[in-house]
Amino acid sequence: MDRTTVEDQGVRLRPLRRTDAADVVAACSDPLTQRFLPLLPQPYTEADALWWIEEGAEAEWRQGGGVWAIADPRTDRLLGTIGLHRVIRERAQAEVGYWVAPWARGRGVATAATVALGAHAFAHGFARLELLTELENVASQRVALAAGFQREAVRRGVAPDRDGARTDLVAFARLAGDPPGPVARWLPDLPGGELSDGVVTLRPLLPGDEDFLHTLLNQPDVVATSVPPVAPDRREIELRCARSQAHWLAGDRADLVILDTATGRPAGDIGLYYQERNTGQAMIGYAMLPEWRGRGFPTRAVQLVALWAFAETSIARLVAGTNPQNAGSQRVLEKAGFQREGYHRSRLPGAHGRRVDDVLFAMVASDLLSRAASAEG
């Protein structure tokens, strides 16, 4: 790659300079930068910045990649850096890596720089660009999708952290021939960040929900109807909360917390699992804390999820299964507009190596329309 300054997408990409050192120190001392770049020196000093500018970045240029400052076109102040790393010449492939300074976050700088660098790299002979990020780094995954990188796979234990452990990374890639624009998502964000009917509110499961979720999923009756019927440990709960947004962005599942709108307290959870994209079928499941049962919250939550799914996604059919003895859950589904469709013998794993039967319920968009028309009539 040459060291051409690139002006595109509202940002400037230029070689780093010694005068950028103070801004590099400030950005690389930021806790969020250090969290997702765990091998940065701590504390990060001016000497570290100058070494990176004069030696580290230079090494990337010699290896066929490069490192650019992301700069404000008006002031030329450094907003971050972006580079092409781990170049594989025979494959015409490189890895995109970036960070954005605290004073530039929330402005679309990373997406703009990634789009600009991608176009520049493809114009100079690269055929494939990869972008790897932690499953917990939701912001970086959003950048990848917005810049037209398609999610490919999770690479287990690929990156070392400061403590010597290994971290999983999710891989995105963009090819020279891919269409322009962002990657379409199977499960979009909720409008306004939540769904509500005034009685219950649904919001995404997030880090910080660990205590609530651990209590909920360790209720004996919830464990008994889980697949498999095993209580999750604390580490599983922590990973589920930390990585829930990664699954949402991937279009695999949407995990939601059911809140009592009046108090804001968590009462239960509901999940939508998009397990059959080719047929447009998704599955829902839900659970409530004992003190919130009997108030109609699950029915309201199911209806809210169904309305969102049919209106905002390509989902054409929702299914849910219940234990044949779980009359309460069957009433929830029937009140929400689901219809019983079948009885599946020995469908699910049960306790002690046994198999359990499953009663299948389903809903299609016309069921909701019929209920709405009946209510108005």
Side-chain angles (χ1 to χ4, degrees), residues 72 91 151 189 222 284 298 306 363:
D72 187 323
R91 296 183 182 177
R151 190 182 196 269
D189 295 332
V222 174
I284 62 167
M363 173 190 278

Side-chain angles (χ1 to χ4, degrees), residues 214-232 287 349 351:
H214 188 268
T215 299
L216 174 66
L217 298 186
N218 278 272
Q219 297 295 316
D221 58 343
V222 174
V223 173
T225 56
S226 298
V227 181
V230 178

Side-chain angles (χ1 to χ4, degrees), residues 1 23 42 46 67 79 95 101 111 118 121 146 166 176-177 233 241 250 268 296-297 302 321 325 329 364:
M1 291 292 290
D23 281 339
Q42 293 185 11
E46 182 180 14
V67 177
L79 305 176
E95 183 180 319
T111 299
R166 307 290 298 187
D233 61 25
C241 291
F297 281 18
V302 169
Q325 284 73 48
S329 187
V364 297

Side-chain angles (χ1 to χ4, degrees), residues 47 65 67 76 91 152 188 202 238 249 270 306 327 335 367 370:
V67 177
D76 203 43
R91 296 183 182 177
E152 291 190 337
L202 309 183
E238 290 171 351
L249 290 171
I270 184 166
K335 289 179 181 179
D367 294 333
S370 298

Side-chain angles (χ1 to χ4, degrees), residues 93 128-132 145 149-155 169-175 178 250:
Q93 175 180 306
R128 173 183 167 89
L129 299 178
E130 292 190 345
L131 193 160
L132 277 64
L145 294 171
F149 284 66
Q150 297 185 34
R151 190 182 196 269
E152 291 190 337
V154 174
R155 297 182 180 174
L169 297 180
V170 56
F172 295 81
R174 181 167 177 78
L175 306 183
D178 284 344

Side-chain angles (χ1 to χ4, degrees), residues 110-125:
T111 299
T114 302
V115 172
L117 181 58
H120 184 65
F122 291 140
H124 284 74

Side-chain angles (χ1 to χ4, degrees), residues 89-112:
R89 296 176 187 273
E90 61 271 24
R91 296 183 182 177
Q93 175 180 306
E95 183 180 319
V96 176
Y98 56 80
W99 54 258
V100 175
W103 54 87
R105 292 174 188 155
R107 294 163 44 183
V109 167
T111 299

